[in-house]
Amino acid sequence: MPGSSRHVGRERGWSQPTMRRSDLVQHKDKDKGAITRTSQIVFGERQHLLRVLDSLEGTNPPIARMQQERRSLEELIHTRTRELNQINTAWDEKIGLVLSADAKPEMLEKLVKQAPEEDFYLLRLISEHPRANSKTLNKLAKHPYGAIRENVARHPNADAGTLTWLSKDRSQPLWYLVAFNPNTPTPLQRRLRDRLKKLGESQPSK
């Protein structure tokens, strides 16, 4: 039954990834000027609702109130789950695949190809995954969410071409991360570190 505690319990098992403050970051569509409800926003809301449900069940309110509030919370949780599946089909299962110890580079590459741009949470997890290959990272380097590009800039599997491209990103200062990535071409690395040194020297001493 969709509204049962048993079903919600299964959802709790799926929702193991820790929510970060950045999970509530809103992404504004430049063309439409509207806030996009990305997967990390919806996931963050679902995590909050699950915590409220846990809190409710850990107290001793009147039975009628407990039942009413539990039903309301469970429906909201299921609504968020449906919304996640609308963003990316079988969303929780795909998150589970990424977090699995058996995750393979080819599978991560396939998930990135299939995922819509709005699936910030899944793509961010893959961008920091140690098995993400250079091809996957190259694709993620072009994602609009800055935290994903930051993960790529510091990733040990990012190739020289991707890192060179990221160092020119004018939307955020990724060059300082690129400067310390061992895969960055030596001439570029020297230039970026020199730039960092000059910035440090220009800062007024306290």
Side-chain angles (χ1 to χ4, degrees):
M1 183 177 175
S4 69
S5 296
R6 186 178 176 185
H7 185 80
V8 172
R10 288 204 299 271
E11 286 189 357
R12 289 179 190 171
W14 295 337
S15 305
Q16 292 303 313
T18 303
M19 191 191 69
R20 307 176 185 182
R21 191 178 190 86
S22 60
D23 291 338
L24 300 177
V25 169
Q26 295 181 330
H27 178 64
K28 195 164 188 176
D29 191 312
K30 292 180 180 178
D31 297 327
K32 299 177 183 177
I35 299 296
T36 302
R37 282 180 62 77
T38 64
S39 61
Q40 67 178 8
I41 292 173
V42 181
F43 172 72
E45 291 172 352
R46 189 175 71 174
Q47 291 293 89
H48 282 305
L49 289 165
L50 284 165
R51 289 195 189 99
V52 174
L53 183 58
D54 285 339
S55 176
L56 177 68
E57 293 177 345
T59 59
N60 190 28
I63 294 176
R65 176 186 164 191
M66 165 78 85
Q67 292 176 338
Q68 181 182 2
E69 292 192 2
R70 180 191 287 133
R71 281 195 298 270
S72 298
L73 285 166
E74 288 181 353
E75 182 54 40
L76 289 169
I77 289 165
H78 292 305
T79 298
R80 297 305 185 279
T81 299
R82 287 193 294 270
E83 192 172 351
L84 288 168
N85 289 328
Q86 287 169 358
I87 291 172
N88 196 352
T89 308
W91 190 84
D92 283 290
E93 287 84 346
K94 288 173 180 173
I95 293 294
L97 287 173
V98 174
L99 295 173
S100 168
D102 299 324
K104 298 290 190 298
E106 297 77 16
M107 183 197 72
L108 297 174
E109 184 179 339
K110 183 178 180 181
L111 287 172
V112 168
K113 285 181 180 177
Q114 293 175 343
E117 188 178 272
E118 293 79 16
D119 199 349
F120 280 25
Y121 192 82
L122 176 72
L123 295 175
R124 194 195 72 203
L125 283 181
I126 295 175
S127 71
E128 61 192 14
H129 199 290
R131 293 183 183 173
N133 61 31
S134 59
K135 189 174 179 182
T136 297
L137 294 169
N138 181 267
K139 183 174 177 59
L140 290 172
K142 300 172 178 63
H143 195 274
Y145 183 36
I148 290 176
R149 299 199 301 278
E150 285 182 7
N151 285 339
V152 174
R154 63 168 66 94
H155 202 291
N157 294 338
D159 61 27
T162 299
L163 292 167
T164 300
W165 188 83
L166 282 173
S167 72
K168 300 173 183 176
D169 190 335
R170 296 184 180 279
S171 64
Q172 62 181 139
L174 293 174
W175 61 267
Y176 65 88
L177 293 173
V178 174
F180 294 97
N181 191 311
N183 296 334
T184 300
T186 303
L188 175 59
Q189 200 174 72
R190 285 174 183 159
R191 289 200 303 274
L192 296 177
R193 290 188 182 188
D194 283 345
R195 185 193 300 177
L196 191 62
K197 184 179 178 182
K198 288 176 182 176
L199 278 176
E201 291 171 351
S202 67
Q203 295 296 323
S205 57
K206 293 183 180 179

